[in-house]
Coordinates of all heavy atoms in Angstrom, one line a residue:
S870 N 223.5 19.3 94.1 CA 223.0 20.2 95.1 C 223.4 21.6 94.8 O 224.3 21.9 94.0 CB 223.6 19.8 96.5 OG 223.2 18.5 96.9
T871 N 222.7 22.6 95.4 CA 223.0 24.0 95.2 C 223.3 24.7 96.5 O 222.8 24.3 97.6 CB 221.8 24.7 94.5 OG1 220.6 24.5 95.3 CG2 221.6 24.1 93.1
L872 N 224.1 25.7 96.4 CA 224.5 26.5 97.6 C 223.4 27.4 98.0 O 222.9 28.2 97.2 CB 225.8 27.2 97.3 CG 226.6 27.8 98.5 CD1 227.1 26.6 99.4 CD2 227.8 28.6 98.0
K873 N 223.1 27.5 99.3 CA 222.1 28.4 99.8 C 222.7 29.8 99.9 O 223.9 30.0 99.7 CB 221.6 27.9 101.2 CG 220.7 26.7 101.1 CD 220.2 26.4 102.5 CE 219.2 25.2 102.5 NZ 218.7 24.9 103.9
S874 N 221.8 30.8 100.2 CA 222.2 32.2 100.2 C 223.2 32.5 101.3 O 223.9 33.5 101.2 CB 220.9 33.1 100.4 OG 220.2 32.7 101.6
D875 N 223.3 31.6 102.3 CA 224.3 31.9 103.4 C 225.7 31.6 102.9 O 226.7 31.9 103.6 CB 224.0 31.1 104.6 CG 224.0 29.6 104.4 OD1 224.4 29.1 103.3 OD2 223.7 28.8 105.4
G876 N 225.9 31.0 101.7 CA 227.2 30.7 101.2 C 227.9 29.6 101.8 O 229.1 29.3 101.5
K877 N 227.2 28.8 102.7 CA 227.9 27.7 103.4 C 227.1 26.4 103.3 O 227.7 25.3 103.0 CB 228.0 28.1 104.9 CG 229.0 29.2 105.1 CD 229.1 29.4 106.6 CE 230.1 30.5 106.9 NZ 230.3 30.8 108.4
T878 N 225.8 26.4 103.5 CA 225.0 25.2 103.5 C 224.5 24.8 102.1 O 224.3 25.7 101.3 CB 223.8 25.3 104.5 OG1 223.1 26.4 104.1 CG2 224.3 25.4 105.9
C879 N 224.2 23.6 101.9 CA 223.8 23.1 100.6 C 222.4 22.5 100.6 O 222.0 21.9 101.6 CB 224.8 22.0 100.0 SG 226.5 22.6 99.8
Q880 N 221.7 22.7 99.5 CA 220.4 22.1 99.4 C 220.3 21.2 98.2 O 220.7 21.6 97.1 CB 219.3 23.2 99.3 CG 217.9 22.7 99.2 CD 216.9 23.9 99.2 OE1 217.3 25.0 99.2 NE2 215.6 23.6 99.1
E881 N 219.8 20.0 98.4 CA 219.7 19.1 97.3 C 218.7 19.6 96.3 O 217.6 20.0 96.6 CB 219.2 17.7 97.9 CG 219.3 16.6 96.9 CD 219.1 15.2 97.6 OE1 219.8 14.9 98.5 OE2 218.1 14.6 97.1
S882 N 219.1 19.5 95.0 CA 218.3 20.0 94.0 C 217.1 19.1 93.8 O 217.2 17.9 93.9 CB 219.1 20.1 92.7 OG 218.2 20.4 91.6
S883 N 215.9 19.7 93.5 CA 214.7 18.9 93.3 C 214.6 18.4 91.8 O 213.8 17.6 91.5 CB 213.5 19.7 93.6 OG 213.4 20.9 92.8
V884 N 215.5 19.0 91.0 CA 215.6 18.6 89.6 C 216.6 17.6 89.4 O 217.8 17.8 89.6 CB 215.9 19.9 88.7 CG1 215.9 19.5 87.2 CG2 214.8 21.0 89.0
P885 N 216.3 16.4 88.9 CA 217.2 15.3 88.7 C 218.0 15.4 87.4 O 217.8 14.6 86.5 CB 216.3 14.0 88.8 CG 215.0 14.5 88.2 CD 214.9 16.0 88.5
L886 N 218.9 16.3 87.3 CA 219.6 16.5 86.1 C 221.0 16.0 86.1 O 221.8 16.1 85.1 CB 219.6 18.0 85.7 CG 218.2 18.5 85.3 CD1 218.4 20.0 84.9 CD2 217.7 17.8 84.1
W887 N 221.5 15.5 87.3 CA 222.9 15.2 87.4 C 223.2 13.7 87.0 O 222.9 12.8 87.8 CB 223.5 15.4 88.8 CG 224.9 15.2 88.9 CD1 225.9 15.9 88.4 CD2 225.5 14.0 89.4 NE1 227.1 15.3 88.6 CE2 226.9 14.1 89.2 CE3 225.0 12.8 90.0 CZ2 227.8 13.2 89.7 CZ3 225.9 11.9 90.4 CH2 227.3 12.0 90.3
K888 N 223.7 13.5 85.8 CA 224.2 12.2 85.3 C 223.4 11.0 85.9 O 223.9 10.3 86.8 CB 225.7 12.1 85.7 CG 226.5 13.2 85.1 CD 228.0 13.0 85.4 CE 228.8 14.1 84.8 NZ 228.7 14.2 83.3
S889 N 222.3 10.8 85.3 CA 221.4 9.8 85.8 C 220.8 8.9 84.7 O 220.7 9.4 83.5 CB 220.2 10.4 86.6 OG 220.6 11.1 87.7
F890 N 220.5 7.7 85.0 CA 219.6 6.9 84.1 C 218.2 7.3 84.4 O 217.8 7.4 85.5 CB 219.8 5.4 84.4 CG 221.2 4.9 84.1 CD1 222.0 4.5 85.2 CD2 221.7 4.8 82.9 CE1 223.3 4.0 85.0 CE2 223.0 4.3 82.6 CZ 223.8 3.9 83.7
I891 N 217.4 7.4 83.3 CA 216.0 7.7 83.4 C 215.2 6.4 83.3 O 215.3 5.7 82.3 CB 215.5 8.7 82.4 CG1 216.3 10.0 82.5 CG2 214.0 9.0 82.6 CD1 216.3 10.7 83.8
V892 N 214.5 6.1 84.4 CA 213.8 4.8 84.4 C 212.3 5.0 84.7 O 211.9 5.9 85.5 CB 214.4 4.0 85.6 CG1 213.7 2.6 85.7 CG2 215.9 3.8 85.5
S893 N 211.5 4.3 84.0 CA 210.0 4.4 84.2 C 209.4 3.1 84.5 O 209.8 2.0 84.1 CB 209.4 5.0 82.9 OG 209.3 4.0 81.9
S894 N 208.4 3.2 85.4 CA 207.4 2.1 85.6 C 206.2 2.5 84.8 O 206.2 3.4 84.1 CB 207.2 1.9 87.1 OG 206.5 3.0 87.6
A895 N 205.1 1.8 85.1 CA 203.8 2.2 84.4 C 203.2 3.5 84.9 O 202.4 4.1 84.3 CB 202.8 1.1 84.6
T896 N 203.7 3.9 86.2 CA 203.0 5.0 86.8 C 204.0 6.2 87.2 O 203.5 7.2 87.6 CB 202.3 4.6 88.0 OG1 203.2 4.0 88.9 CG2 201.2 3.6 87.7
R897 N 205.3 6.0 87.0 CA 206.2 7.1 87.4 C 207.5 7.0 86.7 O 207.9 5.9 86.2 CB 206.4 7.2 88.9 CG 207.1 6.0 89.5 CD 207.3 6.2 91.0 NE 207.9 5.0 91.6 CZ 208.3 5.0 92.9 NH1 208.2 6.1 93.6 NH2 208.8 3.9 93.4
V898 N 208.2 8.1 86.7 CA 209.5 8.2 86.0 C 210.5 8.7 87.1 O 210.3 9.6 87.8 CB 209.5 9.2 84.8 CG1 210.9 9.2 84.2 CG2 208.5 8.7 83.8
C899 N 211.7 8.0 87.2 CA 212.7 8.3 88.2 C 214.1 8.4 87.6 O 214.3 7.9 86.5 CB 212.7 7.2 89.2 SG 211.2 6.8 90.0
A900 N 214.9 9.2 88.3 CA 216.3 9.3 87.9 C 217.2 8.6 88.8 O 217.1 8.8 90.1 CB 216.7 10.8 87.9
V901 N 218.1 7.7 88.3 CA 219.0 6.9 89.1 C 220.4 7.3 88.8 O 220.8 7.1 87.6 CB 218.8 5.4 88.8 CG1 219.7 4.5 89.7 CG2 217.3 5.0 89.0
P902 N 221.2 7.8 89.7 CA 222.6 8.2 89.5 C 223.4 7.1 88.8 O 223.3 6.0 89.2 CB 223.1 8.6 90.8 CG 221.9 9.0 91.6 CD 220.8 8.1 91.2
V903 N 224.2 7.5 87.8 CA 225.0 6.5 87.1 C 226.0 5.8 88.0 O 226.3 4.6 87.7 CB 225.7 7.2 85.9 CG1 224.7 7.7 84.9 CG2 226.7 8.3 86.4
N904 N 226.5 6.4 89.1 CA 227.5 5.7 89.9 C 226.8 4.6 90.7 O 227.6 3.9 91.4 CB 228.3 6.6 90.7 CG 227.5 7.5 91.6 OD1 226.3 7.6 91.5 ND2 228.2 8.2 92.5
L905 N 225.5 4.4 90.6 CA 224.9 3.2 91.2 C 225.5 1.9 90.5 O 225.5 0.8 91.1 CB 223.4 3.2 91.0 CG 222.7 1.9 91.5 CD1 222.8 1.8 93.0 CD2 221.2 2.0 91.1
L906 N 226.0 2.1 89.3 CA 226.5 1.0 88.5 C 227.6 0.2 89.3 O 227.7 -1.0 89.2 CB 227.2 1.5 87.2 CG 226.4 1.6 85.9 CD1 227.2 2.2 84.8 CD2 225.9 0.2 85.5
Y907 N 228.4 0.9 90.1 CA 229.5 0.3 90.7 C 229.4 0.3 92.3 O 230.3 0.0 93.0 CB 230.8 0.9 90.3 CG 231.1 0.9 88.8 CD1 230.9 2.0 88.1 CD2 231.4 -0.3 88.2 CE1 231.2 1.9 86.7 CE2 231.6 -0.4 86.9 CZ 231.5 0.7 86.1 OH 231.7 0.7 84.7
S908 N 228.2 0.7 92.8 CA 228.0 0.7 94.2 C 227.8 -0.7 94.7 O 227.5 -1.7 94.0 CB 226.9 1.6 94.6 OG 227.1 2.9 94.2
F909 N 227.8 -0.9 96.1 CA 227.5 -2.2 96.6 C 226.1 -2.6 96.3 O 225.2 -1.8 96.3 CB 227.7 -2.2 98.1 CG 229.0 -1.9 98.6 CD1 229.2 -1.1 99.8 CD2 230.2 -2.3 97.9 CE1 230.5 -0.9 100.2 CE2 231.4 -2.0 98.4 CZ 231.6 -1.3 99.5
P910 N 225.9 -3.9 96.1 CA 224.5 -4.4 95.9 C 223.6 -4.2 97.1 O 224.1 -4.2 98.2 CB 224.7 -5.9 95.6 CG 226.1 -6.0 95.1 CD 226.9 -5.0 95.9
N911 N 222.3 -3.9 96.9 CA 221.4 -3.8 97.9 C 221.6 -2.7 98.9 O 221.3 -2.7 100.1 CB 221.3 -5.1 98.8 CG 221.0 -6.3 97.9 OD1 220.1 -6.3 97.0 ND2 221.8 -7.4 98.0
L912 N 222.2 -1.6 98.4 CA 222.4 -0.4 99.2 C 221.0 0.2 99.5 O 220.1 0.3 98.7 CB 223.3 0.6 98.5 CG 224.8 0.3 98.5 CD1 225.4 1.4 97.6 CD2 225.4 0.3 99.9
P913 N 220.9 0.8 100.8 CA 219.6 1.5 101.1 C 219.6 2.8 100.3 O 220.6 3.3 99.8 CB 219.7 1.8 102.6 CG 221.2 1.7 102.9 CD 221.8 0.7 101.9

Side-chain angles (χ1 to χ4, degrees):
S870 297
T871 55
L872 195 65
K873 289 186 176 181
S874 58
D875 63 5
K877 293 183 178 181
T878 55
C879 297
Q880 181 175 3
E881 192 171 301
S882 173
S883 59
V884 180
L886 291 180
W887 183 76
K888 299 185 182 301
S889 298
F890 297 110
I891 304 299
V892 182
S893 74
S894 65
T896 57
R897 63 179 179 171
V898 180
C899 303
V901 181
V903 295
N904 54 351
L905 175 68
L906 269 177
Y907 301 107
S908 297
F909 295 147
N911 305 311
L912 284 175

